[in-house]
Structures are given as structure tokens and as C-alpha cells.
């Protein structure tokens, strides 16, 4: 079979874009702790010495946003301007408005309810139009593509060795990248590893390369995937002292590929962080991952991509598409019919099943929203496997 290379990247929680994601989700969590029904769309920009919080929020509670911003910054590790930002002294600008009443009327009461087709008072409409994609494959135990899984492991390990003092000269900013070689559809080896880690000025490149090779790369990348031809690049420019918002500006939602499947699957374009669950950019993407993962876990397909599309103010999806990449013994049309029987993909049902009105989002703001079995999130559970198998058996008998 033809061999090919595929690359995915990840970033640490101290990357400027991820810092903004964390601040946005920290504010969301602080609000949901007091007001689970709040409508939140909070975005953040970060520049040298300055954080700007903006967006639309409807809530019955009060949250000290300045305090939440500084807390999030310091938790990441930005406590000194030498590192790229000081959460104690940086400027914080807050520009928050109320959510548009035109949007709220469609979210609070779906079109189905307004037309009398739905009597359930809990039925809400989608918070926006758009299409969301979910994906799963059998390359890893968590049913994620191997390149993004390995890139996340490296980035998380970078943060661990910094915070635990295992490599005490590291600073919060960092990026990782992994190229995997495939033989057909089977991953066989790691071809290239790239690690860029922010560091203090008083350390040599040789020390950085030695420590990261031993304490980061060899600690998390399975040895059977690395061979004598694997290329490793550590801080390829030779210096990474200036980092964080001092080295580059940050923006909420600019790492949507890192947040999902590392470019291995389609993406609808919507970001997650800072948005409450009525925004289907977030809840719909979680639901699509849940559907795809259960299909693969049930053995219906080895690889599966699911698209769900919504219209603002309408509860039921306008379309559901399944692509199994010719890895299923039944047609994609058949699998889509089964999906529509087994899964309730209306926003209020997704929110209820996944407990999305709970303050669970800060921990998701780094290292991906999918494949996070370490956080025990509901959309990673494979509790629909048996039901899917039963429906498939009915189809085969019919």
C-alpha cells in the first residue's frame, strides 16, 4: 500500500492563543457556577502587557471579570514580565454587552415550540446556524488520530515538567508537532518530532535539547514508534526566550484545529472557548464526536466522520451526514438512518445528556476537547454501542 506522511500540532496552555481560550472559559465557568442558564459569548485578545475581554453575556449573577482574568493568567504560570506577561500587573480592559434580543428569542424558544409543534418547555433553538464535524478512528485507545494524540502528549508533558520543576528553566509558552508515517491507513512510525519550548536566558541549547529529549519526548512517545530515521527538532531557531503575549499576540478561538483532530478531519469553522452550550459550535461539535466515536466503538466502521448542521432558532438539525470512508460493511446512508434513530441531536437534549450547563470548560481549554477520557467528559463515553449494534442487526435482517 502507498506510504504517506501526516502532521498535527499542539500547543501548551501558555501559548498566547491558548491563554486567551483559558481566560474565556474561566469566565464562562465562573458565570455557570452561579447561573447555569446564562448565555455567554466571551472572547479575549492578549498583547504585550494587556488583556482585552469582549463579548455578549446575559446572566443574573455578578462575576468579577478582572479577578477571573488575573487568576487564569497566574494559574498558567505568567507571574512575571520576564516570562511574557505578569497577571498581577498587566492591564485588563472589559468590553461586555448583552446578547442581542433577536438572537435570544430564537434560543429561548425554538421555532418548533413557537409554531406549536413542540410542547416541551425545555426545548430551545440552536444559538446559531452552521455545520459541525465529529470524527473517530481506531488508531488509538481513545479512538483519535495518532498524530494529534502524540502532539498533545508532548505538549502536556512540557507543561508537567515545567510546573513540577523537572525542567526548571522552562517558561509557559510552547509548541509541539508530530509527523506520522502511514502505510495505507495504518500508522507505522513517527517520522518527525518538533518541540519549541520557551526558556530562561541562562541555559544552553545543548542542555535544552538533552533535557527535552530525555524528559519529554522519550517519556511519552512509545519507543516502538521511533527509529533511527526519526528526525527530532528542538527549538529549531536556537533561541526561545521571548514568548507569551510579549512574543506574539493571542486570540480566543484561533487554535480550532488543535482543539479537534489536528487537521485529520473536516472542521465547520466554529470555535469553542468562551461559548455557553446553546451555541452549537460547541455542543454540536461535542455531539458529532460522540456519534462518530460510538459508531467506531461499535465496530460499524474503522473510521467515521459525522456532520451535523443547524439553523438558528430551530431545534432539530437540518441535516446529518455520515462518512465511513468505505470502512463499513453497510452503506453510509444506512448508518445515517441508524444515527437518526439512536441519537437525539436537538441542542437541549445534547446539553442535558452531556451536563453542559456545568462549569467544566476551563480544563478543556488546552490539549484538545476531543479524546479527553482523562477528564471523563460525557461525549467521550461509548454508551450507545449496544443500541447501535441492535439497530444494525435489524437493518441486516430487513
Amino acid at each position: 500500500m502507498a506510504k504517506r506522511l501526516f502532521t498535527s500540532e499542539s500547543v501548551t496552555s501558555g501559548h498566547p492563543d491558548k491563554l486567551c481560550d483559558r481566560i474565556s472559559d474561566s469566565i464562562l465557568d465562573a458565570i455557570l457556577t452561579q447561573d447555569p442558564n446564562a448565555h455567554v459569548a466571551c472572547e479575549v485578545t492578549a498583547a504585550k502587557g494587556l488583556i482585552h475581554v469582549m463579548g455578549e453575556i446575559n446572566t443574573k449573577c455578578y462575576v468579577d471579570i478582572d479577578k477571573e482574568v488575573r487568576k487564569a493568567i497566574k494559574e498558567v504560570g505568567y507571574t512575571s514580565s520576564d516570562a511574557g506577561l505578569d497577571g498581577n500587573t498587566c492591564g485588563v480592559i472589559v468590553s461586555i454587552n448583552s446578547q442581542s434580543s433577536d438572537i435570544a428569542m430564537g434560543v429561548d424558544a425554538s421555532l418548533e415550540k413557537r409554531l406549536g409543534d413542540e410542547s416541551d418547555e425545555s426545548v430551545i433553538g440552536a444559538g446559531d446556524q452552521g455545520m459541525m464535524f465529529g470524527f473517530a478512528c481506531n488508531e488509538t485507545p481513545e479512538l483519535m488520530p495518532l498524530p494529534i494524540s502524540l502532539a498533545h502528549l508532548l505538549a502536556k508533558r512540557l507543561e508537567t515538567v515545567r510546573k513540577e520543576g523537572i525542567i526548571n528553566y522552562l517558561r509557559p509558552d510552547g509548541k509541539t508537532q508530530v509527523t506520522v508515517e502511514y502505510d495505507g491507513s495504518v500508522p507505522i512510525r513517527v517520522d518527525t518530532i518538533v518541540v519549541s519550548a520557551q526558556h530562561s536566558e541562562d541555559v544552553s541549547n545543548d542542555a535544552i535539547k538533552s533535557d527535552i529529549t530525555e524528559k519529554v519526548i522519550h517519556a511519552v512517545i512509545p519507543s516502538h514508534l521511533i527509529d533511527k530515521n526519526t528526525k527530532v527538532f528542538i527549538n529549531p531557531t536556537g533561541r526561545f526566550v521571548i514568548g507569551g503575549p510579549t512574543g506574539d499576540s493571542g486570540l480566543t478561538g484561533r487554535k480550532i484545529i488543535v482543539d479537534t483532530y489536528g487537521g485529520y478531519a473536516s472542521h465547520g469553522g466554529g470555535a469553542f472557548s468562551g461559548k455557553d452550550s446553546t451555541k452549537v459550535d460547541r455542543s454540536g461539535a461535542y455531539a458529532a464526536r460522540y456519534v462518530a466515536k460510538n459508531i467506531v466503538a461499535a465496530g460499524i466502521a474503522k473510521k467515521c466522520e459525522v456532520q451535523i448542521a443547524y439553523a438558528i432558532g430551530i431545534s432539530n438539525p437540518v441535516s446529518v451526514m455520515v462518512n465511513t470512508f468505505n470502512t463499513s460493511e453497510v452503506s453510509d446512508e444506512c448508518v445515517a438512518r441508524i444515527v437518526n434513530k439512536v441519537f437525539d441531536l436537538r441542542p437541549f437534549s445534547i446539553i442535558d445528556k452531556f451536563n453542559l450547563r456545568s462549569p467544566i470548560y476551563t480544563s478543556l481549554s488546552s490539549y484538545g476537547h476531543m479524546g479527553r477520557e482523562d477528564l471523563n467528559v460525557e461525549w467521550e463515553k461509548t454508551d450507545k454501542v449496544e443500541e447501535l449494534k441492535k439497530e444494525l442487526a435489524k437493518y441486516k435482517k430487513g
Side-chain angles (χ1 to χ4, degrees), residues 11 25 69 86 93 95 119 125 142 159 164 174-175 188 215 288 292 295 306 372 380 383 393 395:
V11 298
D25 277 332
V69 169
D86 188 342
I93 300 173
S95 305
S119 59
E142 67 274 21
E159 180 159 355
E164 294 184 0
K175 302 179 76 172
I188 56 173
K215 299 171 183 176
I295 288 170
V306 174
R372 298 304 301 274
E380 289 299 318
D383 52 2
Y395 174 83

Side-chain angles (χ1 to χ4, degrees), residues 91-119:
V92 177
I93 300 173
V94 179
S95 305
I96 297 293
N97 299 311
S98 296
Q99 184 185 57
S100 163
S101 58
D102 293 346
I103 295 175
M105 64 182 288
V107 176
D108 295 336
S110 68
L111 178 65
E112 293 91 332
K113 189 192 299 185
R114 285 178 276 134
L115 292 177
D117 298 332
E118 179 60 68
S119 59

Side-chain angles (χ1 to χ4, degrees), residues 32-247:
L32 292 178
T33 298
Q34 300 182 57
D35 182 6
N37 294 310
H39 290 174
V40 180
C42 177
E43 297 183 271
V44 174
T45 60
K48 185 176 181 179
L50 181 65
I51 301 294
H52 188 180
V53 182
M54 65 200 85
E56 300 79 42
I57 298 176
N58 278 5
T59 182
K60 298 175 182 177
C61 73
Y62 170 76
V63 167
D64 187 335
I65 291 179
D66 183 276
K67 179 180 178 182
E68 292 299 328
V69 169
R70 297 183 188 281
K71 177 184 175 185
I73 294 170
K74 289 185 283 186
E75 285 176 344
V76 168
Y78 285 118
T79 56
S80 166
S81 57
D82 290 340
L85 189 69
D86 188 342
N88 297 294
T89 60
C90 66
V92 177
I93 300 173
V94 179
S95 305
I96 297 293
N97 299 311
S98 296
Q99 184 185 57
S100 163
S101 58
D102 293 346
I103 295 175
M105 64 182 288
V107 176
D108 295 336
S110 68
L111 178 65
E112 293 91 332
K113 189 192 299 185
R114 285 178 276 134
L115 292 177
D117 298 332
E118 179 60 68
S119 59
D120 189 341
E121 288 301 312
S122 66
V123 175
I124 62 173
D128 202 351
Q129 70 175 45
M131 64 284 189
M132 299 82 219
F133 288 90
F135 181 81
C137 61
N138 62 0
E139 293 181 12
T140 63
E142 67 274 21
L143 304 184
M144 286 286 286
L146 183 61
I148 188 64
S149 178
L150 295 179
H152 283 324
L153 285 174
L154 286 172
K156 282 193 280 188
R157 181 63 181 172
L158 266 184
E159 180 159 355
T160 297
V161 297
R162 172 177 63 86
K163 288 190 170 180
E164 294 184 0
I166 297 171
I167 305 180
N168 59 14
Y169 52 78
L170 292 182
R171 289 175 171 171
D173 201 353
K175 302 179 76 172
T176 63
Q177 185 172 286
V178 177
T179 301
V180 172
E181 181 178 345
Y182 286 79
D183 188 356
S185 59
V186 179
I188 56 173
R189 59 182 290 273
V190 171
D191 182 80
T192 308
I193 296 170
V194 183
V195 179
S196 295
Q198 187 190 13
H199 57 88
S200 61
E201 197 158 8
D202 56 349
V203 60
S204 69
N205 287 334
D206 287 342
I208 294 169
K209 289 177 180 179
S210 175
D211 286 342
I212 288 180
T213 298
E214 176 188 351
K215 299 171 183 176
V216 176
I217 295 173
H218 289 166
V220 298
I221 303 296
S223 58
H224 72 275
L225 292 175
I226 299 177
D227 58 33
K228 63 180 181 179
N229 295 316
T230 299
K231 299 177 286 293
V232 178
F233 301 103
I234 298 171
N235 284 7
T237 69
R239 175 184 167 91
F240 189 2
V241 173
I242 301 170
T246 296

Side-chain angles (χ1 to χ4, degrees), residues 329-330 334 390-398:
E329 61 182 281
V330 296
C334 164
K390 288 179 182 177
E391 290 297 329
L392 180 63
K394 289 180 187 176
Y395 174 83
K396 288 180 176 178
K397 284 182 180 179

